[in-house]
């Protein structure tokens, strides 16, 4: 464990993004030195120039092509998605490596789906397990930038993990304490119908401070970055109704019916968080189980009158 230096300087990439905004707010509240950039990650010259000019000790990469209004956009814009999520992300990582800068990548855990070994209610996916969800182009770019199969050597090589300066945090269905359009709860509360499947979720108020602890201690490797446990859509919406919007009603449909109204498939899975929980214990930081975390989140939301 490295000692936290008072001279740390954080540079957030993708400065206008949703997660980036939350990170900036938290770092500022903590009195940390933080700047942001919107320089394109794939522009190698501009990236190197930005790193030279701003001289960060830590880059927080919250940039990524996520699609608007949702990941279905990536299905029709594959080159642009690769340019950001593969070429850009790797370029930024490599430039940070050349400059000796620690780089935290806000990645996604939507690279798995329940299977025979990982059934609903069973064991979660551990960090080292191979991605098994390729239902969306967005998820495919995100998983392939982490790992690649080298058939000639008959060995699996993890591209990102090869770099000795990288921390990869896999978020899933992130939730904020307000009803921002990017919030998973906002999304499902606005759909005509929702599926009802348990999933791992990331409550940003619980997890983003943990990302700063891990970054400033120069932790490395891959972490499933969600609250422990899994929660179903109906459980989320029942808590939303209880704490935030008492008159809220919703309807369910099956995953087969859902597939008729979306272009890209959606990942459903539970991630194993024991690696993250154990690591954060070293720093005296605990993350609430997902049902407790949602209750606390909706209480904060109701107090902020985000209805
Ligand atoms: N929100 C989710 O559901 C979710 C779930 C899991 C993981 N994540 C990951 O977390 C990260 C942040 O997500 P978010 O929700 O904050 O997304 P967001 O609001 O869409 O922000 C992403 C930001 O990245 C910028 N960007 C895209 N391509 C870029 C490039 N090549 N170079 C520089 N900047 C670029 C975008 O700018 P432009 O709009 O100008 O392109 C945007 O400001 C993403 O990597 C995402 O994949 C998000």
């Amino acid at each position: 464990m490295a000692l936290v230096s008072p001279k740390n300087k954080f540079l957030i990439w993708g400065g206008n993004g949703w997660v980036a905004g939350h990170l900036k707010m938290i770092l500022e509240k903590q009195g940390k030195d933080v700047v942001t950039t919107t320089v394109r990650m794939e522009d190698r010259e501009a990236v190197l120039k930005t790193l030279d000019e701003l001289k960060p000790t830590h880059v927080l990469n919250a940039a990524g092509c996520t699609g608007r209004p949702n990941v279905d956009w990536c299905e029709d814009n594959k080159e642009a998605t690769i340019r950001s999520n593969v070429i850009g992300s790797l370029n930024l990582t490599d430039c940070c490596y050349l400059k000796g800068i620690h780089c935290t990548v806000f990645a996604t855990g939507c690279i798995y789906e329940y299977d025979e070994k990982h059934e609903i209610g069973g064991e979660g996916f551990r960090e080292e397990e191979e991605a098994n969800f390729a239902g969306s182009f967005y998820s495919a770019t995100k998983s392939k930038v982490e790992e690649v199969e080298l058939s000639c050597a008959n060995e699996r090589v993890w591209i990102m993990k090869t770099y000795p300066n990288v921390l990869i945090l896999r978020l899933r269905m992130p939730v904020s304490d307000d009803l921002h359009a990017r919030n998973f709860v906002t999304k499902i509360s606005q759909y005509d119908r929702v599926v009802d499947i348990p999933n791992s979720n990331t409550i940003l108020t619980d997890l983003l401070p943990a990302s700063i602890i891990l970054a400033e201690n120069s932790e490395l490797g891959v972490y499933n970055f969600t609250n422990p446990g899994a929660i179903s859509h109906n459980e989320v919406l029942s808590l939303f109704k209880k704490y935030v919007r008492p008159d809220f009603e919703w309807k369910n449909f099956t995953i087969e019916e859902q597939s008729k109204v979306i272009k890209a498939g959606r990942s459903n899975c539970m991630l194993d968080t024991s690696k993250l929980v154990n690591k954060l214990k070293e720093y005296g930081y605990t993350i609430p189980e997902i049902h407790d975390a949602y209750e606390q989140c909706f209480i904060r939301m109701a107090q902020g009158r985000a209805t």
Side-chain angles (χ1 to χ4, degrees):
M1 184 204 321
L3 285 178
V4 178
S5 162
K7 288 189 184 140
N8 281 342
K9 180 174 184 180
F10 294 88
L11 170 57
I12 303 174
W13 226 278
N16 289 340
W18 178 55
V19 170
H22 281 278
L23 280 170
K24 183 165 181 276
M25 213 164 52
I26 294 168
L27 283 161
E28 282 173 347
K29 269 194 194 155
Q30 293 180 351
K32 306 264 163 74
D33 190 1
V34 54
V35 284
T36 65
T37 183
T38 57
V39 163
R40 304 314 287 179
M41 291 185 288
E42 62 275 20
D43 186 341
R44 193 164 179 88
E45 273 180 35
V47 168
L48 289 169
K49 188 164 168 263
T50 304
L51 295 177
D52 282 341
E53 280 173 5
L54 297 175
K55 297 193 180 359
T57 54
H58 294 77
V59 162
L60 304 179
N61 179 6
C65 182
T66 52
R68 289 290 188 275
N70 55 48
V71 293
D72 283 348
W73 182 92
C74 300
E75 301 295 314
D76 297 324
N77 295 274
K78 294 194 168 76
E79 298 81 1
T81 307
I82 290 174
R83 195 171 307 121
S84 289
N85 295 351
V86 181
I87 300 169
S89 190
L90 277 175
N91 184 53
L92 177 55
T93 301
D94 186 53
C95 292
C96 287
Y97 167 71
L98 291 174
K99 303 283 175 192
I101 298 165
H102 185 272
C103 181
T104 302
V105 180
F106 288 85
T108 180
C110 287
I111 59 174
Y112 297 113
E113 62 184 339
Y114 289 114
D115 61 13
E116 275 178 19
K117 193 176 164 217
H118 311 83
E119 289 175 348
I120 291 177
E123 65 182 76
F125 287 89
R126 294 186 317 279
E127 284 80 355
E128 67 275 17
E129 290 186 276
E130 198 173 344
N132 71 345
F133 175 71
S136 86
F137 193 75
Y138 164 81
S139 291
T141 58
K142 286 280 181 177
S143 63
K144 284 302 161 200
V145 80
E146 267 193 44
E147 65 173 51
V148 72
E149 202 82 36
L150 272 194
S151 53
C152 59
N154 205 18
E155 188 191 346
R156 265 173 83 217
V157 174
W158 297 66
I159 299 187
M160 280 281 198
K161 252 177 87 176
T162 304
Y163 282 90
N165 61 323
V166 177
L167 171 67
I168 299 172
L169 304 177
R170 294 170 168 172
L171 284 70
R172 283 201 85 243
M173 302 172 166
V175 178
S176 54
D177 294 349
D178 56 16
L179 283 171
H180 189 281
R182 308 272 312 146
N183 181 345
F184 171 69
V185 174
T186 310
K187 291 181 188 172
I188 63 170
S189 70
Q190 290 174 350
Y191 293 153
D192 290 339
R193 287 168 191 270
V194 288
V195 291
D196 184 30
I197 306 170
N199 271 286
S200 290
N201 287 193
T202 300
I203 306 289
L204 293 178
T205 293
D206 299 325
L207 272 299
L208 290 187
S211 71
I212 296 165
I213 292 172
L214 296 175
E216 63 188 354
N217 285 285
S218 299
E219 293 290 351
L220 303 170
V222 183
Y223 286 87
N224 290 335
F225 207 61
T226 67
N227 293 74
I231 188 164
S232 72
H233 295 67
N234 281 4
E235 286 175 312
V236 170
L237 292 174
S238 298
L239 289 171
F240 180 62
K241 183 179 171 81
K242 177 176 173 189
Y243 288 105
V244 182
R245 202 177 286 171
D247 58 353
F248 183 73
E249 301 292 338
W250 70 97
K251 288 180 187 152
N252 287 124
F253 62 176
T254 64
I255 205 157
E256 291 75 25
E257 287 167 327
Q258 183 198 39
S259 67
K260 291 180 190 147
V261 297
I262 52 177
K263 190 153 192 163
R266 300 293 194 268
S267 138
N268 291 291
C269 64
M270 183 175 84
L271 304 182
D272 183 320
T273 54
S274 40
K275 182 181 174 189
L276 176 71
V277 167
N278 289 335
K279 175 52 70 183
L280 290 173
K281 246 187 222 160
E282 293 176 18
Y283 300 107
Y285 192 89
T286 51
I287 319 165
E289 192 276 335
I290 191 61
H291 295 80
D292 297 339
Y294 257 112
E295 294 221 36
Q296 291 162 28
C297 172
F298 285 143
I299 289 169
R300 290 190 297 268
M301 191 180 279
Q303 283 166 351
R305 293 200 195 90
T307 54

